[in-house]
């Protein structure tokens, strides 16, 4: 019960939808359209005019006829023009029509309801409106008019009329007469025709005048405009026998069009009577298809004149080209006869004028109108036009109809028409034979008698398995006597329903295919089957888009071919789908997965990750140590990718580990002997045949800081003269040193670590330039010994020490004295300052001692006096001063040192058991590589150590040199060779030191020149503090 209710509800819904969308009653659509318009001009909306709700796509519109000029939007029903322009004057049905409402183009529109629930056909007419697209023209560019002399003023002559294919306001509006060149080209007359009065009499307009002629235009009874020439002056043929004027005609269009002709007025003798037609209008019926030469009617005119002036000839007046082509007019007799056969279906009426003209001078004329009505004969067989309707495909007389269409489905539109008229065009139509089809009128209203339209419906179910095609013969018979008939046939092919998709035997097809194949090589063939027949069983194979053009398939055979050369190293597995589609409607398809496994070949050589491997190894590396590792790969697989590594060199210094690619050296490297090694490594794979590759290995030995700097200039036993007048920033000396190491190990720094107590000099750490930075005073005169430390930037740092002697004086009067001072300084310990005039400090010291002694004596005397006075003036106090009691030591009194007394030894310290021989200190020279020395000026307390020393006898725990010189015991001096060391050679300095004071330099700072540890005057060499030897921190 519920199912039945749902079906009823669906039927009611479809019925309501059909009532809402189907038009209530048939109507003829009428639209108006101007000719010569461009494409896509909107004409009207068929849906709106029929009252149909459109726009959703459920109701569709199709233009069944009229598509030569029009097109329609299938969804909205909007009717518009197509690309072909419409010329009203060239339309066959508008050739002889003078009423604009009668010129139209028929069209038909079929309307299909939702889900093809209904189908209807509507007729329409588009009335073509005339536009001003034709220029009026005269019969000839030169018009000749004969005018008798002595004609009275006001005599009127009819001029030839112009023709215009347009009509109405676009037709001829006025004529103008322009005088000839002898009258300076002025317009002689202009006139527009007026409307005819109720009695049909001619009415004239005012017109311009000149001395001889005037133009006026009269409106004739048939609505035409007749130009007339009026004589306004006396004409004397003997004085002037001709006039040449210009006659111009204009139409009433916007903008107007015009043309002109030359009007030659010939002055002749008098002819005073005009011919007169018996009737102003001749009308006759002419059967169509009349044979050429058949007489139609005779036009007669009489002329009261006699002789030549009374002889009449007949000519066509306002007649179209078709009139002159179809009819013949005898000039002498006025008989009108058939020149060519006339078809009523092409021309139904001929309307024109004939002029009767006498032979007088000038000739006189009269005009009559001829109307010929072409009568129909049954000379046309009915025509049967079978056209497409709705969604049924029909072409070349064949309609394809699916077997599952419902009964009473329209499959074609049949239009039967007859070009004849009345009973000759009344047609009946029927289907012949036993076929499941029948004809039904498209409309209950028969419409025109000679044109009928039918739907060809199915009258029974179609079965493809029983009958695959039908030949439907349609016969049409007219009602003429005798009747004529015709037939047409339609081949209806029943289409099979596509209800079975293609099927593959396997859902997945896996195939192995070797790489490096030839292009277009077949990989595999796949097949599918379809249970349908015909087109529904014809299969087409394709691949999905994931193959990216690598594989292709023959759409008919199913052969899968590879279009590219496969490379397993890039892709070793391809997976894609094969789709089989049948050719039915709708199209059904099936698919299968194809897996292509690419098999490997030994087509790739081993490949090192770098063309050149560069390694950096520190010198002094132990033999058989790894120095680098090379990486090699082979894109192949399995045995083709198993590799063996070999070192190709002559010296056999290096070896390589096959599994890791690690390179080992069999020797220890010395950068000073050889800085670079280069050899090749070869890799061979296990393929057949094997492939190999080589790479270059470059090994660079990295420097270690194993060489101290070497001072080249100046020598220790040389000096430079510095005048006292020298200003600040004066360059005193430049120390030049080299280091055989490289890089930061050869980056040298210079600093003054001793001999500069007055801070007169400053040294650039980078360049080694010694500059004067203080003002020279009297105490600065004399020899200055600067202790310069040169250290590199390695880790740990290496260093060396040199002496720079500067003699401050105006000049060198006795060089031997200065050389003696220099020689003496070489024997002076480095912690003792040699700087300026020694007598200057001695005199100041003596003065200070005298002042101190005197002050002390005076203080003692004053104390004694105070004590004595207190003793006698005050009673004795227990807590007072007791004579003879030792007072506290004055720590502020300077202590005197006995030069002859030896300093006491520290009881807490034991004697060193080291030998009493001096240590040998090696100062290693630096490379003469000419590198720039960088550094900054620093305070003495922050200066780097004096160098890296190797002690022959001492140990790492030995005290430094500063601590030794802080002792109060007399010390031996350092003996330096008089010449500085040269590059690449070792310079030994022998120093006599106590056994406990031997030392080894380790790159630490040595506090030479510290104010807390030593004094910097040559006068204080033997003045040592009595304190015991202890640490001195700088």
């Amino acid at each position: 019960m519920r199912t039945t209710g749902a079906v009823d509800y669906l039927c009611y819904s479809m019925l309501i939808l059909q009532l809402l969308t189907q038009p209530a009653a048939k109507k003829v659509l009428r639209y108006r359209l101007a000719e010569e318009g461009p494409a896509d001009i909107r004409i009207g909306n068929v849906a709106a005019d029929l009252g149909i709700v459109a726009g959703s796509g459920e109701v569709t519109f199709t233009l069944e006829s009229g598509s030569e000029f029009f097109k329609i939007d299938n969804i909205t029903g909007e009717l518009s023009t197509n690309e072909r322009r419409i010329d009203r004057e060239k339309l066959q049905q508008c050739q002889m029509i003078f009423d604009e409402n009668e010129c139209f183009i028929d069209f038909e529109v079929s309307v299909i309801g939702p889900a093809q629930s209904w189908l209807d056909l509507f007729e329409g007419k588009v009335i073509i409106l005339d536009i001003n697209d034709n220029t009026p023209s005269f019969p000839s560019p030169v018009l000749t008019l004969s005018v008798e002399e002595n004609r009275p003023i006001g005599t009127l002559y009819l001029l030839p009329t112009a023709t215009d294919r347009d009509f109405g306001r676009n037709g001829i509006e006025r004529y103008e007469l322009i005088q000839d060149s002898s009258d300076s080209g002025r317009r002689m007359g202009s006139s527009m025709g007026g409307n005819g009065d109720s009695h049909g009499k001619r009415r004239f307009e005012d017109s311009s005048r000149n001395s001889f002629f005037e133009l006026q235009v009269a409106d004739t009874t048939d609505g035409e405009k007749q130009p007339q020439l009026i004589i306004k002056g006396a004409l004397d043929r003997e004085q002037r026998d001709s006039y040449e004027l210009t006659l111009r005609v204009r139409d009433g269009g916007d903008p107007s069009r015009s043309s002109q002709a030359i009007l030659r007025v010939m002055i002749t003798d008098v002819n005073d009577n005009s011919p007169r037609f018996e009737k102003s209008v001749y009308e006759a019926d002419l059967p169509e298809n009349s044979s050429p030469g058949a007489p139609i009617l005779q036009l007669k005119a009489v002329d009261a004149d006699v002789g030549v002036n009374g002889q009449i000839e007949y000519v066509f007046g306002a007649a179209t080209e078709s009139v002159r082509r179809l009819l013949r007019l005898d000039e002498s007799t006025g008989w009108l006869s058939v020149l060519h056969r006339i078809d009523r279906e092409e021309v139904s009426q001929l309307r024109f004028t004939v002029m009767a003209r006498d032979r007088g001078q000038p000739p006189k004329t009269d005009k009559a109108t001829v109307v010929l009505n072409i009568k129909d004969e049954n000379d046309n067989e009915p025509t049967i036009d079978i056209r497409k309707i709705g969604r049924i495909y029909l072409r070349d007389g064949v309609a394809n109809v699916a077997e599952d269409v419902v009964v009473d489905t329209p499959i074609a539109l049949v239009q039967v028409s007859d070009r004849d008229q009345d009973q000759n065009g009344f047609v009946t139509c029927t289907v012949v034979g036993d076929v499941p089809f029948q004809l039904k009128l498209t409309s209950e209203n028969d419409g025109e008698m000679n044109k009928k339209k039918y739907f060809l419906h199915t009258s029974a179910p179609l079965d493809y398995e029983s009958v695959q095609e039908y030949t439907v013969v349609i016969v049409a018979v007219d009602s003429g006597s005798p009747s004529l008939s015709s037939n047409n046939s339609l081949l209806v092919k029943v289409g099979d329903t596509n209800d079975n998709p293609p099927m593959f035997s396997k859902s997945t097809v896996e195939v192995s295919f070797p790489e490096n194949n030839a292009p277009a090589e077949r990989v595999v063939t796949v097949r599918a089957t379809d249970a349908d027949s015909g087109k529904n069983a014809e299969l087409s194979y394709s691949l999905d888009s994931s193959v990216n053009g690598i594989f292709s398939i023959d759409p008919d055979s199913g052969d899968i071919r590879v279009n590219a050369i496969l490379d397993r190293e890039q892709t070793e597995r391809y997976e894609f789908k094969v789709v089989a589609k049948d050719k039915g409607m709708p199209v059904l398809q099936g698919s299968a997965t194809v897996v292509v496994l690419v098999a490997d070949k030994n087509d790739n050589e081993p490949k090192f990750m770098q063309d050149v491997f560069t390694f950096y190894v520190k010198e002094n590396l132990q033999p058989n140590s790894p120095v680098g590792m090379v990486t090699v790969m082979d894109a192949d697989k399995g045995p083709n990718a198993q590799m063996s590594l070999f070192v190709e060199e002559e010296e056999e210094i290096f070896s390589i580990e096959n599994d890791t690619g690690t390179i080992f050296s069999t020797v220890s490297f010395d950068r000073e002997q050889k800085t670079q090694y280069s050899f090749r490594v070869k890799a061979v794979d296990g393929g057949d045949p094997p492939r190999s590759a080589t790479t270059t290995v470059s090994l660079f030995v990295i420097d270690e800081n194993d060489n101290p700097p070497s001072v080249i200039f100046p020598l220790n036993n040389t000096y430079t003269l510095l005048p006292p007048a020298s200003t600040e920033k004066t360059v005193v000396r430049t120390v030049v040193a080299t280091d055989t190491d490289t890089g930061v190990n050869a980056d040298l720094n210079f600093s003054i670590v001793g001999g500069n107590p007055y801070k007169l000099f400053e040294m650039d750490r980078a360049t080694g330039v010694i500059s004067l930075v203080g003002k020279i005073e009297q105490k600065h005169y004399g020899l200055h010994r600067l202790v310069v430390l040169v250290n590199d930037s390695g880790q740990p740092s290496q260093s060396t020490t040199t002496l720079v002697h500067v003699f401050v004086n105006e000049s060198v009067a006795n060089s031997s004295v200065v050389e003696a001072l220099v020689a003496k300084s070489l024997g002076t310990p480095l912690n003792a300052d040699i700087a300026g005039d020694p007598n200057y400090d001695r005199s100041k010291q003596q003065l200070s001692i005298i002042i101190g002694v005197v002050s002390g004596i005076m203080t003692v005397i004053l104390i004694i006096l105070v004590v004595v006075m207190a003793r006698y003036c005050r009673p004795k106090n227990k807590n007072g001063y007791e004579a003879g009691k030792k007072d506290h030591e004055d720590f502020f009194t300077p202590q005197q040192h006995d030069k002859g007394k030896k300093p006491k030894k520290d009881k807490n310290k034991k004697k060193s058991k080291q030998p009493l021989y001096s240590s040998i200190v090696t100062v290693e020279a630096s490379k003469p590589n000419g590198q720039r020395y960088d550094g900054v000026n620093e305070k003495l307390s922050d200066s780097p150590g004096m160098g890296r020393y190797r002690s022959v006898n001492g140990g790492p725990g030995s005290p430094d040199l500063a601590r030794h010189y802080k002792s109060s015991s007399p010390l031996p001096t350092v003996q330096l060779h008089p010449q500085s060391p040269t590059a690449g050679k070792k310079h030994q300095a022998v120093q006599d030191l106590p056994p406990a004071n031997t030392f080894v330099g380790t790159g630490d700072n040595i506090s030479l020149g510290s104010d807390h540890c030593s004094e910097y005057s040559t006068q204080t060499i033997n003045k040592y503090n009595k304190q015991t030897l202890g640490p001195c921190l700088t």
Side-chain angles (χ1 to χ4, degrees):
M1 294 297 290
R2 293 182 180 178
T3 305
T4 305
V7 173
D8 293 341
Y9 176 75
L10 180 61
C11 294
Y12 292 149
S13 300
M14 293 297 294
L15 179 59
I16 293 172
L17 181 62
Q18 181 175 356
L19 292 175
L20 290 176
T21 57
Q22 186 173 4
K26 285 292 184 70
K27 61 182 295 186
V28 177
L29 302 169
R30 296 180 67 88
Y31 300 102
R32 303 174 72 85
L33 175 68
E35 64 172 332
E36 299 291 349
D40 299 323
I41 292 294
R42 181 182 181 278
I43 300 173
N45 190 288
V46 173
D49 294 338
L50 293 176
I52 299 175
V53 178
S56 62
E58 295 182 348
V59 178
T60 59
F61 300 86
T62 305
L63 195 64
E64 303 296 347
S65 66
S67 58
E68 183 181 5
F69 299 101
F70 310 123
K71 61 183 179 180
I72 192 168
D73 190 293
N74 294 336
I75 304 300
T76 63
E78 192 77 18
L79 184 67
S80 59
T81 59
N82 59 17
E83 291 77 10
R84 181 173 178 180
R85 289 183 178 270
I86 301 174
D87 187 352
R88 183 183 185 280
E89 288 73 33
K90 291 184 179 180
L91 293 176
Q92 182 177 353
Q93 63 269 33
C94 300
Q95 288 291 321
M96 296 301 296
I97 294 176
F98 301 99
D99 183 358
E100 64 177 2
N101 291 325
E102 297 300 327
C103 179
F104 53 83
I105 299 176
D106 293 321
F107 68 91
E108 295 171 338
V109 176
S110 65
V111 184
I112 302 175
Q116 286 191 330
S117 59
W118 55 267
L119 185 147
D120 212 338
L121 185 73
F122 296 91
E123 298 178 355
K125 298 179 183 296
V126 178
I127 299 172
I128 307 303
L129 304 178
D130 182 54
I131 65 171
N132 191 25
D133 59 339
N134 293 282
T135 302
S137 61
F138 290 99
S140 173
V142 179
L143 305 176
T144 303
L145 177 64
S146 297
V147 178
E148 295 176 350
E149 65 176 341
N150 299 326
R151 296 297 294 173
I153 294 174
T155 302
L156 185 145
Y157 288 90
L158 298 179
L159 297 179
T161 58
T163 58
D164 193 334
R165 296 182 65 187
D166 297 323
F167 63 92
R169 63 181 182 87
N170 295 325
I172 296 174
E173 183 183 40
R174 68 178 182 269
Y175 291 89
E176 298 172 354
L177 188 64
I178 302 173
Q179 67 180 3
D180 60 0
S181 58
S182 63
D183 292 329
S184 302
R186 280 190 305 108
R187 181 179 297 173
M188 296 177 62
S190 176
S191 180
M192 297 177 59
N195 296 327
D197 56 18
S198 59
H199 297 87
K201 296 182 179 179
R202 299 180 181 181
R203 193 179 67 183
F204 302 95
E205 300 286 337
D206 293 337
S207 59
S208 302
R209 294 181 173 86
N210 77 346
S211 56
F212 292 103
F213 302 103
E214 179 182 302
L215 178 68
Q216 72 175 14
V217 179
D219 289 336
T220 62
T221 56
D222 54 3
E224 296 183 357
K225 299 183 186 299
Q226 175 64 56
Q228 300 171 345
L229 188 67
I230 302 174
I231 298 175
K232 291 298 180 180
L235 301 176
D236 189 351
R237 190 189 63 81
E238 285 70 32
Q239 292 183 6
R240 184 174 180 178
D241 60 357
S242 66
Y243 296 85
E244 191 166 288
L245 309 175
T246 300
L247 183 61
R248 178 179 294 165
V249 61
R250 291 183 181 274
D251 60 22
D254 184 16
S256 64
R257 294 174 175 264
S258 65
S259 65
Q260 61 187 27
I262 297 174
L263 177 60
R264 290 177 180 168
V265 181
M266 310 298 296
I267 309 303
T268 62
D269 287 331
V270 176
N271 179 20
D272 57 347
N273 289 292
S274 300
R276 295 295 179 205
F277 279 102
E278 296 178 348
K279 295 187 293 183
S280 61
V281 177
Y282 290 83
E283 187 172 359
D285 294 332
L286 176 63
E288 69 174 334
N289 300 322
S290 297
S291 60
I296 301 172
L297 58 84
Q298 184 180 21
L299 289 88
K300 287 186 178 182
V302 295
D303 194 327
D305 293 329
V306 295
V308 176
N309 294 330
Q311 295 178 4
I312 300 174
E313 59 183 0
Y314 300 90
V315 294
F316 286 111
T320 62
E321 293 179 0
S322 59
V323 171
R324 299 175 186 271
R325 178 176 56 84
L326 297 174
L327 303 178
R328 177 181 178 274
L329 180 62
D330 191 291
E331 290 184 346
S332 302
T333 63
W335 269 103
L336 190 66
S337 60
V338 177
L339 183 60
H340 293 95
R341 288 184 180 273
I342 301 175
D343 189 359
R344 187 206 62 81
E345 286 71 31
E346 293 181 0
V347 179
S348 61
Q349 185 186 68
L350 295 176
R351 187 185 184 95
F352 54 93
T353 60
V354 175
M355 296 182 65
R357 182 174 56 195
D358 63 19
R359 299 181 186 273
Q361 292 298 327
K364 292 183 178 292
T365 61
D366 192 15
K367 184 177 65 173
T369 299
V370 179
V371 178
L372 295 181
N373 297 313
I374 311 302
K375 293 299 180 180
D376 179 68
E377 290 187 353
N378 192 22
D379 60 341
N380 292 282
E381 296 178 351
T383 59
I384 302 174
D385 185 17
I386 303 175
R387 302 190 311 228
K388 168 187 170 295
I389 187 69
R391 295 185 177 89
I392 301 299
Y393 182 81
L394 190 153
R395 185 175 181 181
D396 298 330
V398 179
N400 295 310
V401 182
E403 64 176 340
D404 58 348
V405 297
V406 298
V407 178
D408 204 32
T409 297
I411 65 169
L413 175 66
V414 179
Q415 177 175 311
V416 181
S417 60
D418 196 323
R419 299 181 65 189
D420 294 325
Q421 199 174 27
D422 300 327
Q423 290 298 320
N424 295 331
F426 186 82
V427 181
T428 58
C429 187
T430 185
V431 175
V432 178
D434 185 15
V435 291
F437 302 97
Q438 64 182 5
L439 293 174
K440 291 184 180 180
L441 285 170
T442 60
S443 175
E444 297 298 332
N445 185 9
D446 292 339
E448 296 180 12
M449 184 181 296
N450 61 345
K451 185 185 296 184
K452 291 184 180 181
K453 296 177 183 178
Y454 301 87
F455 287 135
L456 182 62
H457 284 255
T458 57
S459 59
L462 303 180
D463 188 4
Y464 172 82
E465 287 70 22
S466 299
V467 180
Q468 284 76 37
E469 63 183 31
Y470 297 91
T471 300
V472 181
V473 179
I474 300 172
V475 176
V477 181
D478 65 19
S479 300
S481 181
S483 63
L484 299 177
S485 65
S486 63
N487 64 77
N488 198 353
S489 62
L490 175 66
L491 180 62
V492 179
K493 291 187 176 181
V494 180
D496 179 45
T497 301
N498 188 25
D499 54 352
N500 291 287
M503 298 290 292
F504 288 89
S505 59
K506 293 182 179 180
S507 60
T508 301
V509 178
E510 187 171 300
V511 61
S512 178
F513 189 75
E515 66 177 341
N516 301 327
N517 56 284
E521 189 174 349
R522 188 181 70 86
V523 179
V524 67
T525 299
V526 293
R527 296 282 186 183
T529 58
D530 195 322
D532 293 324
S533 60
K535 287 288 184 181
N536 296 330
E538 293 180 11
L539 302 182
S540 175
Y541 299 92
S542 63
L543 303 179
D544 61 9
S545 59
S546 62
V547 297
N548 295 325
I550 300 175
F551 297 91
S552 62
I553 188 169
D554 189 298
D556 299 321
S557 65
D559 289 340
I560 298 177
R561 298 183 181 274
V562 60
N563 299 324
I565 299 176
L566 301 184
D567 189 355
R568 188 207 60 80
E569 288 70 30
Q570 293 183 3
T571 306
E572 62 180 353
R573 187 177 187 273
Y574 295 90
E575 181 175 338
F576 51 89
K577 284 188 177 296
V578 178
V579 179
K581 295 182 180 180
D582 61 25
K583 298 180 181 180
M585 289 298 294
V587 176
L588 298 179
Q589 67 181 32
S591 64
T593 300
V594 177
V595 178
V596 179
L597 302 177
V598 183
D600 183 66
K601 288 185 178 180
N602 190 25
D603 59 340
N604 290 280
E605 297 176 354
K607 184 176 181 180
F608 288 91
M609 299 305 293
Q610 299 174 212
D611 294 332
V612 177
F613 287 85
T614 303
F615 304 109
Y616 296 87
V617 182
K618 290 185 178 181
E619 62 181 333
N620 304 322
L621 189 70
Q622 293 296 326
N624 297 322
S625 298
V627 296
M629 178 184 292
V630 297
T631 305
V632 62
M633 300 181 67
D634 196 323
D636 292 322
K637 191 177 182 181
N640 297 329
Q642 296 178 359
M643 291 173 288
S644 301
L645 301 177
F646 306 94
V647 175
E648 297 180 346
E649 61 164 346
E650 297 179 357
E651 300 177 359
E652 297 183 356
I653 297 176
F654 302 94
S655 63
I656 190 168
E657 189 175 55
N658 193 69
D659 295 332
T660 64
T662 304
I663 301 173
F664 296 88
S665 67
T666 60
V667 299
S668 179
F669 303 107
D670 188 356
R671 191 199 63 79
E672 283 71 25
Q673 293 183 3
K674 190 171 183 179
T675 62
Q676 180 183 357
Y677 296 87
S678 182
F679 55 91
R680 299 183 69 81
V681 175
K682 183 176 182 180
V684 181
D685 65 19
D688 186 18
R691 292 176 176 268
S692 63
T694 59
T695 186
T696 300
V697 177
S698 294
L699 188 68
F700 294 91
V701 181
I702 301 175
D703 181 60
E704 285 193 334
N705 194 22
D706 56 352
N707 294 285
S710 176
V711 178
I712 299 175
F713 180 82
L715 300 178
N716 289 335
N717 60 348
T718 62
Y719 67 93
T720 182
L721 177 65
L722 179 64
S726 299
T727 60
E728 293 184 3
K729 301 301 180 181
T730 300
V731 177
V732 178
R733 201 73 159 177
T734 300
V735 178
V736 180
T738 60
D739 195 319
T740 56
D741 292 324
T742 60
V744 295
N745 297 329
D747 189 5
L748 302 181
N749 298 316
F750 301 84
S751 60
I752 299 174
V753 297
N756 190 24
Y758 301 114
K759 310 298 182 183
L760 279 178
F761 305 98
E762 189 178 81
M763 189 171 197
D764 190 299
R765 290 182 59 85
T767 62
V769 175
I770 301 174
S771 304
L772 180 66
V773 295
K775 184 178 180 182
I776 298 177
E777 300 176 359
Q778 183 64 37
K779 65 179 179 179
H780 300 147
Y781 281 65
L783 183 67
H784 294 257
R785 183 187 68 177
L786 302 178
V787 180
V788 176
L789 178 67
V790 183
N791 65 303
D792 59 26
S793 301
Q795 292 295 332
S797 176
Q798 298 271 19
S799 63
T800 189
T801 306
T802 188
L803 301 178
V804 177
H805 293 90
V806 180
F807 185 72
V808 179
N809 202 3
E810 296 292 340
S811 63
V812 181
N814 190 350
S815 61
S816 59
V817 175
V818 180
E819 291 173 355
L821 293 174
V822 172
K824 184 179 178 181
S825 74
L826 296 177
T828 304
L830 297 179
N831 65 336
D833 290 334
I834 300 177
D837 186 2
N839 295 326
Y840 182 82
D841 288 339
R842 183 182 303 172
S843 62
K844 289 181 64 178
Q845 187 176 12
Q846 291 176 353
L847 180 60
S848 299
I849 293 172
I850 294 172
I851 293 173
V853 171
V854 173
S855 299
I857 293 173
M858 293 298 293
T859 302
V860 171
I861 294 172
L862 181 61
I863 292 173
I864 294 172
L865 290 175
V866 171
V867 171
V868 172
M869 291 179 66
R871 188 178 184 88
Y872 287 96
C873 293
R874 297 176 63 181
K876 185 176 180 181
N877 192 332
K878 284 186 177 181
N879 296 328
Y881 170 76
E882 296 181 5
K885 188 177 180 180
K886 186 177 179 180
D887 199 1
H888 293 287
E889 183 179 0
D890 186 3
F891 290 97
F892 297 98
T893 304
Q895 298 180 6
Q896 301 294 325
H897 299 281
D898 189 357
K899 296 181 180 180
K901 189 177 180 179
K902 293 183 180 180
K904 296 180 180 181
K905 294 183 179 179
D906 191 350
K907 295 181 180 181
N908 297 326
K909 289 186 177 285
K910 296 181 180 181
K911 292 184 179 180
S912 174
K913 295 182 180 181
Q914 294 182 356
L916 299 176
Y917 297 100
S918 63
S919 299
I920 299 176
V921 180
T922 302
V923 181
E924 296 184 10
S926 62
K927 283 186 176 181
N929 55 5
Q931 293 183 355
R932 180 177 176 272
Y933 300 93
D934 296 329
V936 295
N937 296 326
E938 297 179 359
K939 296 180 180 179
L940 287 174
S941 60
D942 299 327
S943 63
M946 293 184 62
R948 181 177 179 181
Y949 294 85
R950 296 193 189 95
S951 176
V952 177
N953 298 321
S958 300
D960 62 12
L961 187 61
R963 294 175 182 176
H964 170 74
Y965 282 124
K966 196 174 182 181
S967 171
S968 60
S969 63
L971 296 174
T973 59
V974 177
Q975 302 293 332
L976 294 176
H977 290 286
Q979 295 183 352
S980 300
T982 59
K985 297 180 180 180
K986 296 182 178 179
H987 179 73
Q988 294 180 344
V990 180
Q991 181 179 356
D992 297 329
L993 300 174
N997 291 323
T998 57
F999 65 93
V1000 176
T1002 61
D1004 297 330
N1005 292 337
I1006 302 176
S1007 302
L1008 296 180
S1010 172
D1011 291 338
H1012 299 284
C1013 301
S1014 62
E1015 299 176 0
Y1016 293 96
S1017 175
T1018 55
Q1019 301 300 321
T1020 62
I1021 296 175
N1022 296 322
K1023 295 179 181 179
Y1024 300 106
N1025 198 320
K1026 293 182 180 181
Q1027 297 176 2
T1028 59
L1029 185 62
C1032 180
L1033 300 177
T1034 60

